[in-house]
Amino acid sequence: MSNRVAIFWPGDYRAKPNELAEPLVRSKTEQMVRALKKLDKTPYVIDRFLTRPSEAIEHMGQVNDPAVGLFCHWVYGPHTVDGVVGKTSPLLLASNFDGGFPGLVGLLNTAACLELMERKSSRLWGNADDWTQDDAFMSRLEEWCRTGEIKYQTDELHDSVEVSAKAQAFAKAIAEEISLRRILILMLGDTSMGMTNGYFGPRVLARHGFAEHKVDQAWLPKRMEGIDLARVEKAFAFLQDKGVTFHWREKDAEDFTEDSTREQLRMYLAVVDLIKEFGADCLGWQYQLGLVPVTAPSDLCEGLFNSKCRPESDGEVFITATEADQGNVIPMEMMKRLQKKKGLHEAVMFHDIRWGGEEEGRFLWVLLNSGSCGAYAFNHNPDSLEGAHSFRQPAMYFPNAGGTFAGVSKPGKVTWARAYLRGDESWMDIGRGEVVDLPTERVQHYWQSTTPQWPIMMADLGCSRDALMAHFMSNHIAVSYGDIFEEMVALSRMLGFRVRVMSSTL
């Protein structure tokens, strides 16, 4: 590998997150410069955030030296991918391991995006204050400097797993249903937040029993105007009667009022009508980037759709993936159908892999997404919204006030999954895990260190931290309460996915 190494800063599209992260990014840049110099490399810094695909192309397109991308906050995948795709030079994605500045989230998303584009890269992370004093970090960096890649153990990755005849039968019944009527995803907008590996497209969807119909989010404001006020008021009373706690007019959220919630419910009802109009089975909902200055955020709506207990419910959960992420809506809909077939409640939670820590000898992940988690996680009662809280979405991202759908997830055994693409091949990662009941002060430690307005799930995902960081192909994960592990393996195979099980115990 050549001596010169470029260091670049993937960025957020929005200016404020980059501004807040810059002191940390500069500190980590200094550490990376020192670390590379200790390894006899000559680093140089592209001293600016790459905040658009065009900027990635402009500033990285001519760089053929080995390169290190620094991930110290949330970033968009194309702000790396579009500047490095088509090259063969060594590429390293290096992140902090922190809840407040979630570089690991951006690293996981960007690594998955690069995988889709068949651009090789390596991953490196560390939670030390000074990376140069972290022996494991430095050892892995030395390996990259010497060989151009970092190889991680694969002993927790399994291509082969036994599936019982009973599980095969459950899966076959669902597969036959899908063969008779393929699953239609209503896509409100396109995948967002730079999730290149969150979009499969109609050609790939078709070979797995799915289809998509896209509706531009620009339809929503006009559709919302046509929603009858009586429907809104009935939905508003329903949420209060079923136990949602609204945090209106609290400190730093004075503009979050009852009318903010009414606007969100107007949006929810407009989407209810769209679902009926197009006969959709599940929903992918873009993260509203185009609608941010126009209307309230969609998070309350997404949480309600992922709950059986909701206004104008048809008696079932309606699977909804935020950011219109098909890599999550696919396994979520599959898991919902398996749960129902086994007599379990069909709720499936959408989460970010946000952060984590050791608790009594086991590593627990902080799973935390803006509001696409259903109320069942908070109360294990399909007919209630107790335990659900609606806080104002942070004003830094959402100028128009609107609430989240948040709560603390209850303990229990879970099955998790994620679909993704490697080149033209479709994969499904599957695992078993457990949501853990921590003391209140420990939950608050993790929650307040991340985004306390969002739903939280403290989960052991059944594999080590390093196995997930090294190999998982997304920052998103689908989680359901109950054991449908074998059934999900069997159904994924039947629908044409290549299955990879992540487990430290198999």
Side-chain angles (χ1 to χ4, degrees), residues 243-400:
V244 179
T245 301
F246 291 97
H247 296 262
W248 296 309
R249 287 181 290 274
E250 293 187 345
K251 186 177 183 297
D252 298 324
E254 289 82 3
D255 60 344
F256 178 43
T257 68
E258 292 86 344
D259 284 342
S260 307
T261 300
R262 288 186 175 96
E263 182 175 7
Q264 289 183 292
L265 289 171
R266 195 180 295 275
M267 183 189 302
Y268 166 82
L269 292 167
V271 177
V272 167
D273 292 348
L274 281 170
I275 289 166
K276 291 177 182 176
E277 179 178 345
F278 290 106
D281 298 295
C282 48
L283 179 65
W285 196 330
Q286 188 178 342
Y287 191 67
Q288 286 198 274
L289 286 179
L291 292 184
V292 162
V294 178
T295 188
S298 60
D299 302 272
L300 176 69
C301 314
E302 295 170 24
L304 288 173
F305 276 119
N306 281 326
S307 305
K308 173 187 172 184
C309 183
R310 54 186 167 87
E312 301 188 14
S313 174
D314 62 357
E316 291 193 7
V317 169
F318 193 84
I319 291 297
T320 299
T322 196
E323 299 178 32
D325 179 6
Q326 293 180 343
N328 247 45
V329 75
I330 289 169
M332 288 173 75
E333 182 67 22
M334 292 165 62
M335 293 163 83
K336 169 194 167 178
R337 294 177 182 224
L338 287 171
Q339 294 269 117
K340 187 177 179 182
K341 182 69 71 174
K342 286 194 74 173
L344 302 168
H345 181 57
E346 69 264 27
V348 185
M349 315 308 160
F350 184 117
H351 270 296
D352 271 332
I353 296 173
R354 177 68 179 265
W355 183 39
E358 290 276 350
E359 294 291 331
E360 297 186 357
R362 68 199 299 193
F363 188 85
L364 301 183
W365 285 99
V366 178
L367 304 184
L368 188 95
N369 186 266
S370 58
S372 218
C373 178
Y376 183 76
F378 315 140
N379 58 35
H380 284 193
N381 181 354
D383 301 314
S384 172
L385 299 177
E386 292 285 344
H389 293 254
S390 189
F391 299 95
R392 192 211 193 282
Q393 269 280 28
M396 178 174 68
Y397 300 112
F398 294 92
N400 290 317

Side-chain angles (χ1 to χ4, degrees), residues 6 25 27 48 50 82 116 125 133 182 184 187 228 249 338 349 384 388 402 445 468 477 490-491 497:
V25 171
S27 172
R48 58 170 297 145
L50 306 180
D82 290 349
L116 169 66
W125 59 92
Q133 302 303 309
R182 68 177 58 250
L184 179 61
M187 292 284 286
D228 186 77
R249 287 181 290 274
L338 287 171
M349 315 308 160
S384 172
H445 161 70
L468 189 140
I477 192 168
L491 180 59
F497 291 93

Side-chain angles (χ1 to χ4, degrees), residues 129-144:
D129 291 336
D130 185 345
W131 283 342
T132 65
Q133 302 303 309
D134 182 333
D135 291 342
F137 186 95
M138 289 301 297
S139 175
R140 289 167 176 166
L141 182 61
E142 187 277 332
E143 181 183 353
W144 182 77

Side-chain angles (χ1 to χ4, degrees), residues 456-477:
I456 190 170
M457 177 179 280
M458 301 300 305
D460 178 346
L461 294 179
C463 60
S464 68
R465 180 194 80 158
D466 284 4
L468 189 140
M469 284 298 299
H471 302 292
F472 194 65
M473 286 297 171
S474 182
N475 56 298
H476 288 165
I477 192 168

